[in-house]
């Protein structure tokens, strides 16, 4: 994996919010993915992380990525999922404590999902809007936020 990351280049320094997503695109274009049973990386969420991004930032970076990889998107008949990026911006605002902005973002994401015909994700986004107003937080996988780093101890 290290060799592939070096070959495709590390972070795009023009991206402050979506740099990891853009790196995953380049990795996917470099070759086939493989499933392994051992954890290869960790992503830790905790209250001390304050990743606050506005929708304008996420939108601008989404458009930058869409332009940068337009050839690859066309070859693979893919388009950036702007509804999910909208949801992600709301989730970042939720994590940083901006509950009102997060709720508005989740509602806007629901509208984007409805335009795509994705009623399930629209309903989930509206549920997220309700939950953030009630003070409940969710992880990127939609589960309640819990942190049990027991598996990380084996790699310490």
């Amino acid at each position: 994996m290290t060799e592939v990351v070096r070959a495709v280049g590390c972070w795009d320094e023009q991206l402050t919010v979506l740099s990891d997503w853009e790196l995953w695109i380049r990795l996917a274009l470099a070759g086939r993915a493989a499933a392994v049973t051992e954890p290869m990386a960790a992503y830790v969420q905790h209250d001390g992380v304050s990743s606050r991004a506005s929708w304008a930032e996420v939108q601008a970076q989404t458009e930058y990525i869409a332009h940068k990889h337009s050839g690859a998107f066309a070859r693979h008949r893919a388009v950036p999922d702007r509804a999910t990026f909208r949801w992600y911006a709301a989730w970042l605002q939720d994590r940083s404590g901006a509950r009102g902005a997060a709720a508005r973002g989740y509602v806007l994401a629901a509208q984007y999902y409805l335009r795509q015909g994705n009623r399930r994700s629209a309903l989930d986004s509206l549920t997220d809007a309700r939950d953030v107003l009630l003070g409940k937080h969710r992880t990127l996988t939609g589960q309640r936020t819990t942190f049990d780093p027991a598996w990380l101890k084996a790699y310490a």
Side-chain angles (χ1 to χ4, degrees):
M1 172 92 167
T2 303
E3 298 83 22
V4 178
V5 171
R6 286 186 180 132
V8 300
C10 202
W11 306 110
D12 181 332
E13 294 183 9
Q14 293 189 47
L15 299 169
T16 57
V17 180
L18 301 178
S19 57
D20 53 342
W21 291 45
E22 193 275 333
L23 176 59
W24 281 113
I25 291 169
R26 287 185 283 128
L27 289 171
L29 293 170
R32 293 182 56 129
V36 294
T37 57
E38 286 288 311
M40 302 299 286
Y43 177 73
V44 177
Q45 299 177 14
H46 57 85
D47 291 338
V49 175
S50 62
S51 183
R52 181 178 277 193
S54 69
W55 168 232
E57 268 182 288
V58 173
Q59 184 177 30
Q61 290 185 29
T62 301
E63 297 309 319
Y64 170 82
I65 291 169
H67 178 72
K68 181 176 181 177
H69 296 288
S70 60
F73 286 135
R75 277 192 311 280
H76 295 282
R77 292 188 209 111
V79 293
D81 183 351
R82 287 169 175 83
T84 298
F85 282 117
R86 183 64 189 100
W87 182 92
Y88 181 68
W91 179 78
L92 289 172
Q93 291 166 332
D94 179 4
R95 283 187 62 208
S96 70
R99 291 178 19 188
R104 283 188 299 280
Y106 287 133
V107 170
L108 290 173
Q111 292 173 339
Y112 276 74
Y113 283 125
L114 284 174
R115 285 186 209 132
Q116 295 175 349
N118 187 342
R119 292 181 183 172
R120 178 64 193 171
S121 292
L123 179 60
D124 288 345
S125 293
L126 291 174
T127 301
D128 290 334
R130 178 202 64 199
D131 287 351
V132 73
L133 290 173
L134 295 174
K136 299 177 184 175
H137 299 279
R138 298 202 180 274
T139 66
L140 278 175
T141 60
Q143 300 169 352
R144 299 262 182 250
T145 303
T146 58
F147 183 64
D148 181 11
W151 67 271
L152 281 173
K153 292 177 184 164
Y155 299 93

